[in-house]
Amino acid sequence: MLFVCSVFLVLCVSVSQGNTADDNGHCSDERHCDLEEELEVNDEEDGEHSDRGRASEPRTVKNEFVRIAGGEFVMGTDKPVLPQDGEGPARRVRVSDFSIHRYEVSNAEFAAFVSDTGYVTEAETFGNSFVLEMLLSESVKSEITQAVMNAPWWLPVEGASWRHPEGGDSDVTADRLDHPVVHVSWNDAVRFCEWIGGRLLTEAEWEYAARGGLEDRLFPWGNSALPRGEHWMNIWQGDFPEMNTAEDGYIGTAPVDSFPPNSYGLLNMAGNVWEWVGDWWSIRHSDQFQSDPVGPPSGKDKVCS
Ligand SMILES: [Ca+2]
Ligand SMILES: [Ca+2]
C-alpha cells in the first residue's frame, strides 16, 4: 500500500558502496558516544550503579546491501483497497539489477550521518513535526492546540525530530539505536543516500523488492495476515486511532531486525515505518509495459511505500 507522507525514513539503492556506519555495538561516532554517556548519567541519576549501562551495551544492527537481480513483475493492482492512493492499474514493469538496504535505516546509522556531516534535518529547522497522538505524553498533548483536518490523529508537536521522536520530553536513548529513524523528510532522505554513495529507490524497484519474487500476493510472504498464527509485521491492531492493542509486540516502532525477512532477505518491507522512494506521487499510471519507470517528471508530493 502506498502513502504520501511527511515523515519517516529511507531505504537506498547503492551506486557505489561508500562509507557506512560502524554498527559493531561500540562507539563509532560522536553522537553515538553522546548517547552512551547519556545512558550512564541517567542510570546514576536514578540511583542505580552505572555498571548496568556497561553490562548492556546499546544494541545496534549492522545494515548491508542486498543485490537484487532485475526482472519483470506486475506493479500495482486492478483491485486497489483505496483507489485514491493511485495503486492502479496493474501494469507489467521491468527493473534492472539494483542493490537495497536489508533493513530500514536505524537511529544509529542516521546518527553516524549527522555526526559526519553536521546535517540538520528539515524537522529540526522547522521546529516541529507530526506525531501520532497515542504516542504522546499528557504533558506534550496539553500544549497542542491544532490538528490536521481529515487526519486528526496526527498532531503537530513542537521540538519533534529524529532526536526527539515524541517531542521535547522524549529522546533517542540507547535502547532505540536499533529502531528506524523517524521524522526524516524526503530531502533529508536524499542527503542521507548521497552520503552513503547511493540514491533513493524508484517506486518500481521498491515494490519489486518488497514482493520478494511473489506475484499477486497481499503481503511479502503470501496472502495470510497471520502466517502460522504469528504476527510477521509491525502494524496497528485494534480500533484506529483510539486503541492499539499491540498484539504484534509494539505500539510504536520495532527494532529494524524484527520479524522474518521476505524471500530476498529484506525485513519490514511491510509495516514498522513507511519508506521514501524517489518518485513524484501520481494517481494516473499507464497500463502499458514500462522499463525502469521513474514516475512523473514533476509533482507536488513524493511517494512513501
Ligand atoms: Ca504494532
Ligand atoms: Ca517498512
Side-chain angles (χ1 to χ4, degrees):
M1 188 173 293
L2 299 175
F3 301 88
V4 178
C5 58
S6 58
V7 291
F8 297 145
L9 82 157
V10 294
L11 272 169
C12 299
V13 56
S14 75
V15 174
S16 61
Q17 293 187 18
N19 53 324
T20 54
D22 174 11
D23 285 336
N24 58 11
H26 301 286
C27 280
S28 60
D29 62 81
E30 201 175 300
R31 173 66 186 161
H32 189 158
C33 291
D34 286 350
L35 291 164
E36 288 189 337
E37 286 162 10
E38 203 170 283
L39 173 72
E40 296 196 2
V41 168
N42 287 342
D43 279 349
E44 286 166 4
E45 283 174 351
D46 288 342
E48 294 183 34
H49 196 275
S50 61
D51 276 355
R52 198 183 75 181
R54 280 194 286 273
S56 55
E57 294 231 332
R59 182 176 181 277
T60 56
V61 178
K62 184 173 176 55
N63 217 339
E64 59 191 349
F65 284 102
V66 177
R67 191 73 179 159
I68 306 292
E72 286 184 22
F73 75 111
V74 177
M75 183 171 173
T77 175
D78 285 330
K79 301 174 199 160
V81 178
L82 298 170
Q84 64 269 32
D85 280 351
E87 292 184 71
R91 61 268 190 200
R92 195 99 202 143
V93 166
R94 174 169 181 77
V95 294
S96 303
D97 297 354
F98 61 98
S99 296
I100 178 175
H101 266 154
R102 187 180 299 285
Y103 306 108
E104 296 161 336
V105 175
S106 69
N107 282 313
E109 286 179 280
F110 200 78
F113 158 62
V114 168
S115 173
D116 191 47
T117 61
Y119 185 74
V120 178
T121 62
E122 292 192 315
E124 290 170 292
T125 302
F126 297 151
N128 61 54
S129 188
F130 286 86
V131 184
L132 270 181
E133 179 176 3
M134 169 153 283
L135 301 175
L136 297 173
S137 68
E138 291 303 321
S139 151
V140 167
K141 269 195 277 190
S142 69
E143 294 172 4
I144 295 172
T145 56
Q146 296 174 302
V148 184
M149 205 180 317
N150 300 327
W153 46 87
W154 287 112
L155 295 181
V157 176
E158 288 301 310
S161 71
W162 77 274
R163 297 178 191 275
H164 307 291
E166 293 86 39
D169 63 357
S170 67
D171 288 299
V172 173
T173 45
D175 60 345
R176 289 171 75 160
L177 288 178
D178 59 355
H179 283 234
V181 65
V182 292
H183 301 296
V184 168
S185 70
W186 187 87
N187 287 321
D188 300 335
V190 166
R191 293 290 299 276
F192 176 87
C193 290
E194 288 171 358
W195 178 70
I196 63 168
R199 61 169 170 82
L200 286 174
L201 297 167
T202 66
E203 183 182 347
E205 289 167 335
W206 196 95
E207 187 169 327
Y208 181 77
R211 287 172 184 263
L214 297 177
E215 292 269 6
D216 200 23
R217 296 290 192 276
L218 290 173
F219 304 101
W221 53 83
N223 282 327
S224 172
L226 287 172
R228 298 176 208 157
E230 298 171 1
H231 289 280
W232 278 19
M233 60 181 172
N234 180 20
I235 56 172
W236 188 287
Q237 288 93 36
D239 294 329
F240 184 86
E242 285 83 22
M243 170 64 72
N244 185 345
T245 58
E247 286 159 37
D248 55 30
Y250 301 95
I251 284 186
T253 56
V256 296
D257 60 346
S258 304
F259 303 104
N262 72 6
S263 56
Y264 288 161
L266 311 175
L267 286 86
N268 289 299
M269 297 301 280
N272 214 15
V273 289
W274 297 329
E275 292 143 38
W276 287 116
V277 296
D279 304 29
W280 288 107
W281 184 69
S282 171
I283 59 168
R284 281 183 287 279
H285 301 286
S286 165
D287 60 2
Q288 300 297 302
F289 173 83
Q290 298 172 71
S291 188
D292 288 322
V294 296
S298 62
K300 272 175 58 188
D301 298 303
K302 290 289 183 176
V303 177
C304 259
S305 292

